[in-house]
């Protein structure tokens, strides 16, 4: 399983550990990923996603999974969440 947020596309970054003597060694900064269950109000289903803590706050701020996916860019979303977004768009168009 990749260490990538399914909603925001956050992935590991690289940088340096810098010691007191200013020696530099390479390191990785990993995103804070959590396994959460989010509910789509339009579809009436729940989805289990691996997202970052920042993405979880963003979903709450937007007012839920449906609103977040409506605003999200397709390039940032994973294949799975892109499929969910399209299902939500079809359901709202039919209603």
């Amino acid at each position: 399983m990749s260490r990538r947020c399914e909603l925001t596309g956050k992935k590991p970054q690289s940088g340096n550990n810098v010691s007191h003597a200013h020696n530099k060694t390479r390191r990785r900064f990993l995103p804070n990923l959590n396994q959460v269950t989010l509910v789509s109000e339009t579809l009436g289903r729940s989805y289990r996603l691996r997202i970052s803590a920042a993405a979880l706050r963003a979903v709450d701020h937007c007012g839920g999974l449906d609103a977040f996916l409506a605003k999200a860019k397709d390039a940032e979303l994973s294949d799975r969440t892109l499929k969910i977004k399209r299902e939500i768009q079809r359901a709202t168009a039919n209603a």
Side-chain angles (χ1 to χ4, degrees):
M1 188 178 286
S2 65
R3 295 178 188 210
R4 188 179 194 112
C5 176
E6 292 187 85
L7 293 179
T8 60
K10 281 190 179 192
K11 58 186 179 182
Q13 294 181 324
S14 62
N16 290 314
N17 273 334
V18 181
S19 69
H20 186 70
H22 212 63
N23 298 327
K24 295 183 181 90
T25 55
R26 296 303 283 179
R27 62 161 290 184
R28 293 177 73 193
F29 294 93
L30 301 176
N32 183 11
L33 296 178
N34 299 302
Q35 189 89 26
V36 296
T37 302
L38 298 174
V39 177
S40 170
E41 296 168 2
T42 306
L43 301 175
R45 289 187 54 197
S46 60
Y47 295 96
R48 205 172 158 138
L49 301 171
R50 192 164 187 226
I51 64 173
S52 64
L56 185 58
R57 287 194 306 272
V59 168
D60 286 340
H61 181 75
C62 286
L65 180 64
D66 299 346
F68 179 86
L69 289 176
K71 292 181 182 180
K73 297 177 184 174
D74 291 351
E76 293 177 350
L77 299 174
S78 69
D79 294 338
R80 196 164 149 241
T81 52
L82 196 55
K83 185 178 174 185
I84 296 168
K85 180 179 179 176
R86 289 188 185 124
E87 287 177 14
I88 292 170
Q89 287 174 340
R90 281 189 211 116
T92 54
N94 292 339

